[in-house]
Amino acid sequence: MRRSRKDGDSVDEERDSRRRRIVDSPSSPAEEPLVPYNDDEDDERRVLDHSGGAEEVGRRVETEEEDDDDDNDDDPYGRGSILDKSNRQVEVRRDCPYLDTVNRQVLDFDFERFCSVSLSNLNVYACLVCGKYYQGRGKKSHAYTHSLEAGHHVYINLRTEKVYCLPDGYEINDPSLDDIRYVLNPRFSREQVEQLDKNKQWSRALDGSDYLPGMVGLNNIQKTDFVNVTIQSLMRVTPLRNFFLIPENYQHCRSQLVHRFGELTRKIWHARNFKGQVSPHEFLQAVMKASKKRFRIGVQSEPVEFMSWLLNTLHADLRISKKSSSIIHKCFQGELEVVKETQNKAISERKEGGGEHNGALKIMDGATENNNIGTETYRMPFLMLGLDLPEPPLFKDVMEKNIIPQVPLFNILKKFDGETVTTTVRPPARMRYRVTRLPQYLIVRMSRFTKNNFFREKNPTLVNFPVKNLELKDYIPLPAPTKENEKLRSKYDLIANIVHDGKPDEGFYRVFVQRKSEELWYEMQDLHVSETLPQMVALSEAYMQIYEQQQ
């Protein structure tokens, strides 16, 4: 409620005179004493004067955020202080008596950056002694109160990465804290990114355990293994990984999903982590919001559906215009020629009425009609190829055991030879597919799960596939290169293989991935990471695979 001029006359005059003194006769930084930075003082006065309740408190928090934005890292006067736009100074010191209380063992920056008291995400600081998050650093803030009650004095702003000592209020500028900043926000130079696939060195976590950068486990928060295997597979796609390791590549994008995916990528490949695993908590929150809770924590989903949604959403968020491409399409997009044959109802009705009595070939709108069948041919881009598995046997053998059928990958690839007919039920049609352009990274999925009116079934058929040198041109016809000197690249190597174990509704997912620097294979299931033999990769129930084109 606004106080009247009559009631607040003396207060307003005093405030106006103080403002005139600041504007008319600004004191030089050398003459002004260094005072602790109190970013709540003016806003508390506004709350008391106006009695604005929750709305004014929210406004005060935003002002704190703006005050932090006004902090200038440069020290133009060389006085050991920082002068912000409000003529308030923050002392910068190298020596802090509380630096030895910093406990790196408890620091975890993987979770959502909310104040543990107010649950606000504005102006949040992490206590470097106990690891908890608190809001603000003014005299009435939660971080200030915590510093007095618990005796914890060192705090880092989670957005600006500046470190402060509370309740004294000065900023700490000490190189020994740089490792914390690198864990909070991992950084990569372009030279480091280019050397990632050549690095064979192990890193050591604070607990003494060793881990390989890029081969760290992901925490399964609750039935999120379908997300973990998808992320681990995409981390093997070199151009995609390199793109997201450099935030400048997507700084124009406002999508939280894009930035959270980039943060997760940098944490997985960071060589100076405090622990040997990463929690994808913030990324999952962005997924839940972007997918409108189609994918959420605690509900199992299929990696195929999540992979398809994630790639399409990232592409839509990254592209600058509707016609522009993105790193997603550059890596995964190929093209199919589709021939669709459908029963022409109009012709059938005319024939029954005697209107047309021969099966002459007729061309209408780029399609052909012959013997009541309409044929339509068109080109269709794809990010993933779906392969159909043969039906498993219904009966047991003489030993009273079910035979686990096996099928070569080349047999189910015939779906894309341009001659094999695939029948669809809704709408009823006969489809023929032919690959007209191969992507740099080929994603294939096996249709293992089918749903009927009563339950969900899983096809246990094993697929026999080569780990290296998959030559596609031997099994499906491919188009000739467009340029004269260009070579047809149709040979692929497997880099990721997602498998499903157990019953359809109770099973779990794991993934086999290749480490390029040593050409070794690793099995990854949530936090579990272990080296395995290439022969073991082909003995599992393959569900989704990523192949890399040989250059």
Side-chain angles (χ1 to χ4, degrees), residues 177-297:
L177 300 172
D178 287 345
D179 62 332
I180 297 176
R181 294 188 178 96
Y182 280 119
V183 173
L184 173 62
N185 183 19
R187 301 163 178 82
F188 289 86
S189 66
R190 298 192 182 274
E191 292 75 18
Q192 289 174 323
V193 169
E194 292 174 359
Q195 298 298 319
L196 276 180
D197 287 335
K198 301 176 183 178
N199 177 37
K200 299 182 180 180
Q201 291 184 347
W202 290 65
S203 297
R204 174 156 292 187
L206 289 179
D207 60 1
S209 62
D210 295 328
Y211 69 92
L212 279 168
M215 294 290 170
V216 298
L218 294 177
N219 189 23
N220 186 345
I221 298 175
Q222 190 181 0
K223 295 183 179 180
T224 55
D225 52 335
F226 72 97
V227 174
N228 292 348
V229 294
T230 304
I231 296 300
Q232 297 287 16
S233 300
L234 292 177
M235 290 299 104
R236 313 308 134 195
V237 180
T238 304
L240 184 73
R241 177 202 68 190
N242 293 353
F243 177 86
F244 279 99
L245 285 178
I246 307 294
E248 288 77 14
N249 292 333
Y250 47 93
Q251 61 183 2
H252 67 279
C253 181
R254 296 184 178 182
S255 167
Q256 282 293 316
L257 183 71
V258 170
H259 289 281
R260 293 289 177 260
F261 185 79
E263 286 178 9
L264 185 58
T265 304
R266 295 197 301 274
K267 288 179 179 179
I268 289 175
W269 286 93
H270 190 44
R272 297 165 63 180
N273 284 329
F274 288 163
K275 56 189 191 304
Q277 70 266 355
V278 175
S279 178
H281 199 277
E282 284 192 286
F283 174 72
L284 286 168
Q285 294 294 334
V287 166
M288 288 173 61
K289 184 175 181 181
S291 67
K292 298 180 181 179
K293 295 190 176 180
R294 176 184 172 188
F295 304 102
R296 59 185 189 269
I297 299 172

Side-chain angles (χ1 to χ4, degrees), residues 197 236-242 326-335 382-384 435 437-444 470 472 486 489-495 516 545-551:
D197 287 335
R236 313 308 134 195
V237 180
T238 304
L240 184 73
R241 177 202 68 190
N242 293 353
S326 70
I327 187 65
I328 304 296
H329 279 188
K330 290 176 183 176
C331 291
F332 300 110
Q333 190 181 54
E335 190 181 67
F382 71 88
L383 296 178
M384 186 185 306
V435 178
R437 190 177 77 243
L438 286 171
Q440 184 180 357
Y441 289 85
L442 178 66
I443 305 178
V444 297
L470 169 64
L472 289 180
E486 187 180 4
R489 296 188 176 95
S490 59
K491 190 174 286 188
Y492 286 81
D493 294 333
L494 184 70
I495 58 173
K516 288 187 177 180
Q545 299 175 327
I546 301 181
Y547 287 89
E548 181 181 32
Q549 193 177 55
Q550 291 184 4
Q551 298 300 317

